[in-house]
Amino acid sequence: MRILSGVQSSGQLHLGNYYGALRQFVAMQNEGEALYFIANLHALNSVRDPVQAKKLTFDTAVAFLALGLDPSRAVLFRQSDIPEVPELYWILGTVVPVSNLERAHSYKDKIDKGQSPDFGLFAYPVLMAVDIMLYDSDVVPVGKDQVQHLEFARDWATKFNVTYVPKYDPADPEGKKGPKGLLKPPRALVQEETALIPGVDGQKMSKTYGNTIELFAEIKATEKKMMGIKTDSTAVESPKPVEGSALYQLLKVMAPASEWAALDASWRQGGQGYGYYKKKLVECFHVTFDGPRKRYEELQADPAEVERILKAGAAKAREYAAPVLARVRTAVGL
Ligand code: ADP
Ligand code: TRP
């Protein structure tokens, strides 16, 4: 099984990115042949400062490594190091219906939030489909918000195969009974349990809402953000409401399994104020992230090592990409 996923280098990573995506990626490196990349071509849609673009690409790579990605098990690379990506992007684009792109939720959401409707943003799902199919990926762990993009990728792989492989049967993509497809339709893997992490204001945690708790920011500021999570005015002695409480949701994902039952019971029973639970959350943050934060600092101080890992990753990824692009080029007549 080949597993692939990517993270845009468009900002500092936060708890939503970790629990909604990165944690699962790192865990899956033991379950198959895993490829993870920093989507820095995608990030150009929103990061328009070259110094910042470079720094965020580096920081995202460091974050992956600090959070446990093991380069001897998984391939880690930068999207922009793979010249096969833009080539397949063009070729695949020739069979993509504009009507699909027009109904992409993420595009519509980003426009609604004020991002400018540029071609790159519009065509983003095509680039994402290529990121996946270029390496013959089977499974793509993603957050819920990316599921539609995976459905598009499947549809376009199928359309491409139907167009260029005589007698291709979409019900038999592996070619068990007839001819095999050129592009493999990928499968999304969504982690339902932690599908939505709330931010300090109770809305979905997102850098667009300015309500994030970053994984690798200065610790005092990070603790302050946790102590400032919005809560209601329930009295200390009263049971605390569970529905709609960002603090409760965050504790639920962050507390060690051994402590959660007791915390949950005391929350529902009353007797402790919100400050008590906020301090608990800060403790949980330290337990989970002190190790990765230390590793993050070490890697930040060793850019040559990070570069070496990324270069080696790109070389490996290109080995996977080359035969896929070669068969596509032949099939379309290039
Ligand atoms: P942001 O909303 O901060 O811009 P991104 O869209 O770059 O974050 O998120 C990258 C990935 O991280 C998403 O595809 C999703 O899987 C995950 N993610 C981001 N925010 C959350 C959240 N609040 N809850 C769960 N997963 C999230
Ligand atoms: N679109 C993804 C996000 O915003 C990032 C991404 C780009 C990706 N290409 C991908 C994820 C390929 C999985 C597979 O989170």
Side-chain angles (χ1 to χ4, degrees), residues 280-294:
K280 281 277 172 210
L281 189 71
V282 169
E283 279 174 29
C284 295
F285 183 90
H286 278 284
V287 169
T288 309
F289 297 110
D290 278 357
R293 287 172 61 90
K294 184 162 173 281

Side-chain angles (χ1 to χ4, degrees), residues 88-103:
L88 187 60
Y89 170 64
W90 176 259
I91 298 172
L92 183 68
T94 60
V95 304
V96 169
V98 166
S99 58
N100 287 175
L101 300 177
E102 280 169 346
R103 65 182 173 80

Side-chain angles (χ1 to χ4, degrees), residues 4-6 8 37 39 42 124 128 131-132 140 142 146:
L4 171 133
S5 201
Q8 277 199 72
F37 70 98
H42 286 276
Y124 182 115
M128 176 157 165
D131 289 331
I132 298 165
V140 185
V142 279
Q146 299 296 318

Side-chain angles (χ1 to χ4, degrees), residues 75-275:
V75 180
L76 178 68
F77 63 99
R78 251 180 316 236
Q79 187 184 27
S80 61
D81 283 344
I82 316 295
E84 289 80 2
V85 166
E87 188 170 349
L88 187 60
Y89 170 64
W90 176 259
I91 298 172
L92 183 68
T94 60
V95 304
V96 169
V98 166
S99 58
N100 287 175
L101 300 177
E102 280 169 346
R103 65 182 173 80
H105 308 307
S106 88
Y107 176 73
K108 289 194 280 189
D109 289 351
K110 285 177 177 163
I111 301 303
D112 288 346
K113 285 184 206 151
Q115 205 167 325
S116 77
D118 297 321
F119 172 76
L121 192 62
F122 186 63
Y124 182 115
V126 185
L127 186 57
M128 176 157 165
V130 165
D131 289 331
I132 298 165
M133 296 188 268
L134 184 57
Y135 314 102
D136 271 340
S137 314
D138 297 296
V139 175
V140 185
V142 279
K144 237 181 186 160
D145 57 330
Q146 299 296 318
V147 170
Q148 191 193 30
H149 290 154
L150 263 292
E151 285 163 4
F152 286 153
R154 289 184 67 83
D155 290 350
W156 301 335
T158 303
K159 185 174 174 197
F160 190 81
N161 293 337
V162 167
T163 307
Y164 286 108
V165 181
K167 300 208 174 68
Y168 175 78
D169 176 5
D172 178 27
E174 295 293 338
K176 294 209 174 78
K177 289 181 230 128
K180 202 170 162 192
L182 294 158
L183 296 175
K184 194 185 269 188
R187 198 156 53 81
L189 192 83
V190 188
Q191 198 178 10
E192 295 289 343
E193 196 185 320
T194 51
L196 212 77
I197 306 295
V200 295
D201 60 356
Q203 296 189 81
K204 176 194 169 200
M205 186 177 288
S206 169
K207 53 186 173 294
T208 335
Y209 301 139
N211 62 358
T212 54
I213 298 168
E214 282 81 20
L215 305 177
F216 300 108
E218 198 268 315
I219 194 65
K220 285 288 165 250
T222 306
E223 289 179 353
K224 209 169 150 193
K225 279 191 178 179
M226 285 186 268
M227 295 307 290
I229 291 169
K230 200 170 131 198
T231 46
D232 63 19
S233 54
T234 307
V236 171
E237 59 282 5
S238 307
K240 309 286 178 291
V242 167
E243 284 303 314
S245 167
L247 180 56
Y248 180 83
Q249 291 302 326
L250 287 168
L251 272 172
K252 190 172 172 181
V253 288
M254 290 181 66
S258 57
E259 283 177 35
W260 174 242
L263 266 176
D264 186 28
S266 94
W267 181 281
R268 289 168 192 269
Q269 191 188 338
Q272 298 285 0
Y274 283 122

